[in-house]
């Protein structure tokens, strides 16, 4: 990376977005615009599921299947177990072994690709597999700083592993299709020149022929964002792929003890992964961010943001569906079910919500 070029570019920059040194020697590009919504996304919860889930939380009963905790019956099905508590006060997917590695996008506006690939890593880990997805392969399908393009451009595409196609800033820059991209000065190459690089084309051909996992759907959480809906997804083990406007306090020198202080200024748009939360003594929450700025940023690549900042600056939040299907049977939660389903209180299989917005028991509503 040509750091001298980046320092000069930073000195010329008249806006808060653009070149930023987010940790010592770690340079990234902050996008100067908000993202647009994914056209192919579907709602995360139907309206009646949102009401049903609210009832579940208010009644202080949340049903979760735990085959290792509850054992199994003679037929091999999970024994029913009820978790008679509200959502846990702390959920951290790092400690649950549900986070893939921290990646580093470098000075290419590819945060949408990096965060999407990391959100895929979480789904794969929930399915008891260990493949790490290639952000380069994701980026190759659209090459623009756009969440809409990233989501729609990778739907129903088989994505290769990081091992098959590792990331380099040079190739990332060559795949960029942004009109005024200056990443070439950082990597001694030319943006939007991928078609003329035979080695890159060979990598692309190999990735296209050896894809491992397919993105089959995006579920969009409703705005304004409800804390209970965010917690429901995260407590169930799933990450969220999110976009928000970030500020100067995200730069590495401003992050203390892993906490990103509240910001009023806006540097630009950023796509990241939300991978947990913790309840504060005040009753408010902080949410855990899995970033793509390398392990030297904040707390080894992770940072906490306050609930108020989520409400103020987060534009979109998506839960991913892969062909892997998420958690194995018997380890599912209400949130793993379809948008109009809850777990059956007896069979622990997903079933359509009852007319009174309650859950079924052995397939029946109200004992009938």
């Amino acid at each position: 990376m040509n750091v001298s070029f980046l320092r000069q570019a930073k000195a010329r920059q008249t806006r808060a977005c653009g070149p930023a040194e987010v940790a010592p020697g770690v340079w990234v590009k902050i996008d100067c615009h908000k993202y647009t919504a994914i056209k192919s996304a579907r709602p995360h919860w139907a309206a009646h599921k949102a009401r049903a889930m609210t009832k579940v939380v208010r009644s202080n009963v949340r049903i979760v299947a735990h085959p290792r905790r509850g054992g199994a019956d003679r037929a091999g099905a999970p024994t029913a177990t009820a978790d008679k508590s509200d959502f846990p006060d702390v959920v951290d997917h790092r400690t649950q072994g549900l986070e893939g590695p921290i990646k580093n996008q470098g000075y290419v506006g590819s945060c949408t690709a990096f965060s999407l690939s990391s959100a895929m890593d979480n789904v794969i880990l929930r399915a008891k597999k260990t493949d790490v997805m290639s952000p380069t392969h994701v980026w190759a399908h659209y090459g623009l700083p756009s969440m809409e393009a990233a989501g729609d451009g990778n739907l129903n595409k088989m994505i290769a592993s990081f091992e098959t196609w590792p990331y380099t800033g040079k190739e990332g820059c060559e795949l960029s299709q942004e009109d005024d991209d200056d990443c070439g000065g950082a990597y001694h190459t030319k943006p939007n020149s991928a078609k003329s690089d035979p080695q890159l084309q060979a990598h692309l051909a190999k990735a296209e022929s050896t894809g491992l996992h397919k993105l089959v759907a995006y579920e969009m959480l409703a705005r304004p964002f409800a804390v209970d809906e965010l917690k429901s997804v995260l407590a169930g083990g799933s990450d969220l792929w999110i976009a928000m406007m970030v500020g100067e306090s995200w730069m590495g020198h401003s992050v203390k003890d892993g906490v990103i202080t509240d910001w009023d200024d806006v540097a630009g748009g950023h796509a990241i992964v939300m991978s947990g939360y913790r309840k504060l003594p005040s009753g408010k929450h902080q949410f855990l961010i899995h970033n793509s700025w390398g392990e030297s940023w904040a707390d080894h690549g992770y940072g906490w943001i306050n609930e108020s900042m989520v409400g103020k600056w987060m534009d979109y939040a998506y839960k991913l569906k892969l062909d892997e299907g998420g958690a194995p049977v018997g380890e599912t939660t209400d949130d793993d079910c379809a948008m109009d389903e809850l777990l059956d209180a007896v069979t622990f299989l997903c079933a359509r919500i009852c007319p009174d917005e309650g859950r079924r028991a052995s397939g029946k509503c109200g004992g009938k």
Side-chain angles (χ1 to χ4, degrees), residues 40-68:
S40 57
R42 65 195 188 195
H44 173 233
W45 285 348
H48 63 294
K49 180 161 183 174
R51 291 191 296 268
M53 292 294 288
T54 300
K55 288 180 180 179
V56 168
V57 173
R58 288 179 178 174
S59 65
N60 207 36
V61 177
R62 184 167 51 92
I63 306 295
V64 184
H66 291 293
R68 288 191 292 273

Side-chain angles (χ1 to χ4, degrees), residues 313-336:
W313 297 118
M314 191 163 77
D315 295 313
Y316 305 105
Y318 299 96
K319 181 180 176 182
L320 308 187
K321 296 285 187 180
L322 270 61
D323 52 356
E324 289 297 338
V329 174
E331 296 184 14
T332 55
T333 70
D334 285 326
D335 197 68
D336 288 308

Side-chain angles (χ1 to χ4, degrees), residues 299-318:
D299 182 11
H300 304 285
Y302 292 85
W304 295 93
I305 57 174
N306 285 319
E307 177 184 326
S308 59
M309 297 294 97
V310 171
K312 185 174 183 178
W313 297 118
M314 191 163 77
D315 295 313
Y316 305 105
Y318 299 96

